[in-house]
Amino acid sequence: MQKRLTVEEYIKGILLQDRIILSRAITLIESQLANDRKLAEKVLEGVLPNTGNAIRIGITGVPGVGKSTFIESFGKFITSQNKKIAVLAIDPTSQRTKGSIMGDKTRMEELAHDSKAYIRPSPSGNTLGGVANKTRETMLLCEAAGFEIIIVETVGVGQSETVVKGMVDFFLLLMLSGAGDELQGIKRGIMEMADAVAITKADGDNNQKANNARMEYVHALHLYPPTQNNWYPPVLTCSALEKTGLSEIWHVIMNFSIQMQENGYWKKNRQEQNLAWMYDYIRHFLESQFFEDQHVKDNIKLIERNILNEQMLPIKGAMALLEKHIQKNVSSSIDI
Amino acid sequence: MQKRLTVEEYIKGILLQDRIILSRAITLIESQLANDRKLAEKVLEGVLPNTGNAIRIGITGVPGVGKSTFIESFGKFITSQNKKIAVLAIDPTSQRTKGSIMGDKTRMEELAHDSKAYIRPSPSGNTLGGVANKTRETMLLCEAAGFEIIIVETVGVGQSETVVKGMVDFFLLLMLSGAGDELQGIKRGIMEMADAVAITKADGDNNQKANNARMEYVHALHLYPPTQNNWYPPVLTCSALEKTGLSEIWHVIMNFSIQMQENGYWKKNRQEQNLAWMYDYIRHFLESQFFEDQHVKDNIKLIERNILNEQMLPIKGAMALLEKHIQKNVSSSIDI
């Protein structure tokens, strides 16, 4: 077993860009033990003044869109610009399988061996809120360790895109060409969160198809109202295979970053994200505590069944589970 | 002061379709007093077997789209089909002003005097969750009182559409013609929640413009993946002034209802909504209780300021506010 590091050793190691210590600090953050948690918070506080300087990029797309191939090529492009990049992930499926988006060792092999890149698989956890929180904290540690670009990867199904959108500066949606069946996996609403759409696999015979798809999306996005930052999301094509379109995407991100820093949206967005983080954390804590309660655990399945069978009013079910909380607060006037 | 009714009197009155007693029961539901709350729950439980038979329709659109004029004309059309209709509202702005969407007495005057229609303004409340909960309960009372069509109206700004979408069978989005400036008020993502889009004010000189807008939206919606119920949202035009397009919208809703009842989605959707209602209620209760706590009230503004100034980690702020909860549960292993 490794010798336990002190708070100061963690902080110093991270700021000195020591990857072994960075990895150990992330493991500390991912730990469920109360003592580790306390230590992790002190480490985070210690590095706080050195965080916030990276460009945080969220990337999503359905399975099959070529997400890891894209991130590998795009990551290599970024390191070729002499920028240090960290790739993190939020993978809701890994919560079930205890596997990970990036658990497969053959993925992003080239990028994994790049000295300017750092890849960390998705933390495991029971709830998306818990996993997201750990990814946010990991992002801060990576920033303190000198990474200038942080990529947070997620799959385009479920709730995780909204969570990733809430922790990044720029959100990139990868799409396949052909507006037909391939799109069905993408959750409705995701396209509206994108700061840019990139059509992948625009190579060889597929090039024309990708360009057609591009025009379709340009038209579709045109019908949306502009985002609150007054940015019109461009649609691009790229090929991870032929390494085309990558510098164009990079330039879009650079332009976005300059424009948003100038108009003040960059800072405003980060501030709002931080407040939202606090509120998310509080909500997540209260709910976790509630659903871990033995009385709730013992009764929730039966109550759910009664509600599904229309034998019980949802509010009655809620009250039965909230029993302890209500007794404690019989005199309070909560707005329900 | 009115004599207080017993649970049995409320239930009997509602089932006998007595509007005065229905109105008093809704007032009971909207009350913040603990005793009223207990009585309200018993009334709800008593009428539960008589609920669920209405078609629940959500209607949204930006201010200026002609929402109340549409609902008045559409409501009159429905009562002319010999159907009883109740019109409820969720109005987030009324929480601030303590006014109401339908507070203006001149609105829907004709429908208000129709013996087959019942109009109830948005309840006031401090939180959208609280207001929504009351609207859900009011909907149940109206169903028990024999209303066959329930319309829940909301404005197309803010979070309230998602909440309304979660309590209705069919969600209708009203849009103005012209895909330009008029659309900017509509929140991104709302179009994807619609089961149908109706372009309003398709009359006189505006008719051609409305038809052009219709084609644009048909094209835009075509790019979306189908909804999980395999329904392709149609786009229609209508005029509340010339009373055109109303029967077409009504037929779309009838077709939707038949198709969804046949393929099982109708029931499945209601079951999911009921479960979600229970979980919403629990979350809302836990959060209300937390934010009403004096320690939280005393400290939250300062902590928010520190987070905005980047003087404090969001998680540190959350922990400071959660202090009491954490001390109580020092030994529990919550997944944070």
Side-chain angles (χ1 to χ4, degrees):
Chain A
M1 198 183 143
Q2 285 176 302
K3 184 181 147 288
R4 204 174 166 87
L5 299 179
T6 64
V7 174
E8 291 68 30
E9 285 168 326
Y10 274 116
I11 295 171
K12 200 179 151 200
I14 291 166
L15 297 181
L16 287 173
Q17 315 195 347
D18 179 327
R19 289 190 180 211
I20 294 167
I21 292 184
L22 172 63
S23 291
R24 287 184 63 183
I26 296 173
T27 304
L28 191 70
I29 273 174
E30 293 174 352
S31 165
Q32 306 284 0
L33 301 174
N35 279 341
D36 285 348
R37 188 68 231 157
K38 276 179 206 156
L39 196 57
E41 270 163 45
K42 285 182 186 149
V43 173
L44 280 166
E45 278 207 278
V47 302
L48 186 59
N50 298 85
T51 63
N53 297 318
I55 296 179
R56 304 165 180 173
I57 303 168
I59 297 184
T60 194
V62 290
V65 78
K67 204 153 55 269
S68 32
T69 324
F70 173 81
I71 292 174
E72 170 137 280
S73 290
F74 191 57
K76 288 297 288 178
F77 176 84
I78 289 172
T79 60
S80 78
Q81 307 291 302
N82 213 21
K83 296 264 180 205
K84 292 178 69 189
I85 180 173
V87 181
L88 315 176
I90 288 185
D91 178 8
T93 61
S94 74
Q95 296 159 46
R96 282 193 295 271
T97 61
K98 301 285 169 192
S100 151
I101 293 191
M102 294 184 297
D104 183 348
K105 292 290 181 208
T106 61
R107 292 183 57 218
M108 302 193 202
E109 211 168 317
E110 227 190 308
L111 191 62
H113 289 99
D114 188 321
S115 68
K116 291 199 177 62
Y118 179 79
I119 300 183
R120 179 86 185 187
S122 181
S124 61
N126 297 322
T127 64
L128 180 56
V131 169
N133 194 47
K134 284 164 194 165
T135 302
R136 280 192 184 102
E137 295 181 346
T138 300
M139 188 159 73
L140 295 180
L141 293 188
C142 290
E143 288 180 339
F147 290 96
E148 298 154 283
I149 306 292
I150 315 275
I151 286 181
V152 184
E153 176 190 11
T154 187
V155 283
V157 288
Q159 297 296 311
S160 57
E161 308 74 30
T162 312
V163 168
V164 171
K165 170 84 177 170
M167 64 173 77
V168 297
D169 304 309
F170 187 92
F171 196 64
L172 177 65
L173 172 62
L174 301 182
M175 292 285 248
L176 284 163
S177 56
D181 292 345
E182 299 99 318
L183 295 189
Q184 307 206 357
I186 270 278
K187 220 181 104 233
R188 293 161 73 86
I190 291 182
M191 209 157 85
E192 304 205 358
M193 304 194 316
D195 295 306
V197 175
I199 319 278
T200 58
K201 304 185 184 176
D203 38 41
D205 290 349
N206 209 33
N207 219 339
Q208 185 56 45
K209 223 171 127 198
N211 273 311
N212 293 347
R214 190 186 154 266
M215 288 315 296
E216 288 235 38
Y217 286 115
V218 166
H219 186 75
L221 285 171
H222 178 72
L223 288 171
Y224 290 145
T227 50
Q228 54 161 322
N229 51 4
N230 221 14
W231 171 259
Y232 290 84
V235 185
L236 303 104
T237 59
C238 65
S239 163
L241 200 70
E242 298 180 353
K243 315 264 189 275
T244 50
L246 302 174
S247 72
E248 284 79 1
I249 294 172
W250 177 245
H251 277 114
V252 164
I253 297 173
M254 288 301 102
N255 281 341
F256 179 89
S257 138
I258 291 165
Q259 228 175 286
M260 296 307 133
Q261 297 197 33
E262 275 175 8
N263 69 17
Y265 178 80
W266 191 271
K267 185 175 178 178
K268 186 171 160 278
N269 183 46
R270 288 243 178 133
Q271 287 183 325
E272 284 171 5
Q273 286 180 340
N274 277 338
L275 266 195
W277 183 7
M278 178 182 82
Y279 283 106
D280 281 354
Y281 189 90
I282 289 171
R283 269 190 289 269
H284 176 66
F285 186 96
L286 293 173
E287 283 174 40
S288 300
Q289 195 175 59
F290 177 80
F291 289 108
E292 284 300 314
D293 182 273
Q294 201 54 47
H295 168 72
V296 173
K297 279 184 172 171
D298 290 345
N299 291 283
I300 199 157
K301 285 295 154 212
L302 178 64
I303 287 175
E304 277 199 350
R305 206 153 51 232
N306 286 338
I307 290 172
L308 286 175
N309 295 337
E310 288 165 49
Q311 301 293 306
M312 188 185 251
L313 264 175
I315 196 162
K316 183 87 182 172
M319 290 312 227
L321 293 174
L322 284 161
E323 204 175 80
K324 284 188 197 169
H325 292 77
I326 293 166
Q327 284 170 347
K328 274 194 323 223
N329 290 276
V330 74
S331 62
S332 76
S333 67
I334 288 166
D335 169 30
I336 46 178
Chain B
M1 199 182 145
Q2 283 177 303
K3 187 180 147 285
R4 204 176 167 86
L5 299 180
T6 64
V7 174
E8 290 68 30
E9 284 167 326
Y10 275 117
I11 294 172
K12 199 179 153 201
I14 291 166
L15 297 181
L16 286 174
Q17 315 196 347
D18 179 328
R19 289 190 181 212
I20 293 167
I21 291 182
L22 172 64
S23 292
R24 286 182 64 182
I26 296 173
T27 303
L28 192 70
I29 273 173
E30 293 175 354
S31 166
Q32 306 285 359
L33 301 174
N35 280 341
D36 286 347
R37 189 67 230 156
K38 277 178 206 156
L39 197 57
E41 270 163 45
K42 285 182 188 149
V43 173
L44 281 165
E45 279 208 278
V47 301
L48 186 59
N50 298 85
T51 64
N53 298 318
I55 297 180
R56 302 166 181 173
I57 304 168
I59 298 185
T60 194
V62 290
V65 78
K67 204 154 52 276
S68 32
T69 324
F70 173 81
I71 292 175
E72 169 138 280
S73 291
F74 190 57
K76 288 295 289 178
F77 175 84
I78 289 172
T79 59
S80 79
Q81 307 291 304
N82 213 20
K83 296 264 181 206
K84 291 179 72 189
I85 179 174
V87 181
L88 315 176
I90 289 186
D91 178 8
T93 60
S94 75
Q95 295 160 49
R96 282 193 297 272
T97 62
K98 300 286 171 190
S100 150
I101 294 190
M102 294 185 296
D104 184 348
K105 292 289 180 207
T106 61
R107 293 182 58 217
M108 302 192 202
E109 210 167 318
E110 229 190 309
L111 192 60
H113 289 99
D114 189 321
S115 67
K116 293 200 174 60
Y118 178 77
I119 301 182
R120 179 84 184 189
S122 181
S124 61
N126 297 321
T127 64
L128 181 57
V131 169
N133 193 49
K134 284 163 194 164
T135 302
R136 280 193 185 101
E137 296 180 346
T138 299
M139 190 159 72
L140 296 180
L141 293 188
C142 290
E143 288 180 341
F147 290 96
E148 300 155 280
I149 306 293
I150 314 275
I151 287 182
V152 184
E153 176 190 12
T154 187
V155 283
V157 288
Q159 297 296 314
S160 57
E161 306 75 30
T162 312
V163 168
V164 171
K165 171 84 177 169
M167 63 174 76
V168 297
D169 305 308
F170 187 92
F171 195 63
L172 176 65
L173 171 62
L174 301 181
M175 292 286 247
L176 284 162
S177 55
D181 292 343
E182 299 100 319
L183 294 190
Q184 308 207 357
I186 269 279
K187 222 182 101 233
R188 292 160 73 87
I190 291 183
M191 210 157 85
E192 303 204 358
M193 304 193 315
D195 295 305
V197 175
I199 319 278
T200 57
K201 303 185 185 176
D203 37 43
D205 291 349
N206 209 33
N207 219 339
Q208 186 55 46
K209 225 172 124 196
N211 274 309
N212 293 345
R214 192 186 152 267
M215 288 314 297
E216 288 236 37
Y217 285 114
V218 166
H219 186 75
L221 284 171
H222 178 73
L223 287 170
Y224 290 141
T227 50
Q228 54 161 322
N229 51 4
N230 220 14
W231 171 260
Y232 290 83
V235 185
L236 303 106
T237 58
C238 65
S239 163
L241 199 70
E242 298 179 356
K243 315 264 190 275
T244 50
L246 302 174
S247 73
E248 286 79 1
I249 295 172
W250 177 246
H251 277 115
V252 164
I253 297 172
M254 287 303 100
N255 281 341
F256 179 89
S257 139
I258 292 164
Q259 229 175 286
M260 295 307 131
Q261 297 197 34
E262 275 175 9
N263 70 16
Y265 178 81
W266 191 272
K267 186 176 178 177
K268 186 169 160 279
N269 182 47
R270 288 240 179 137
Q271 287 183 325
E272 284 171 5
Q273 287 181 339
N274 277 339
L275 266 196
W277 182 7
M278 179 182 81
Y279 283 107
D280 281 353
Y281 189 90
I282 289 171
R283 269 190 289 271
H284 177 66
F285 187 95
L286 293 173
E287 283 174 41
S288 300
Q289 195 173 61
F290 177 80
F291 289 108
E292 285 299 315
D293 182 90
Q294 201 55 45
H295 168 73
V296 173
K297 278 184 171 171
D298 290 345
N299 292 284
I300 199 157
K301 285 293 153 211
L302 179 64
I303 287 174
E304 278 199 349
R305 206 152 51 232
N306 286 337
I307 290 173
L308 287 175
N309 294 337
E310 288 164 47
Q311 301 292 305
M312 188 185 250
L313 265 174
I315 196 163
K316 183 89 180 170
M319 290 312 226
L321 294 174
L322 284 161
E323 206 174 80
K324 284 188 197 170
H325 293 77
I326 293 166
Q327 286 172 345
K328 274 197 322 225
N329 289 277
V330 74
S331 61
S332 75
S333 66
I334 287 166
D335 168 32
I336 48 176

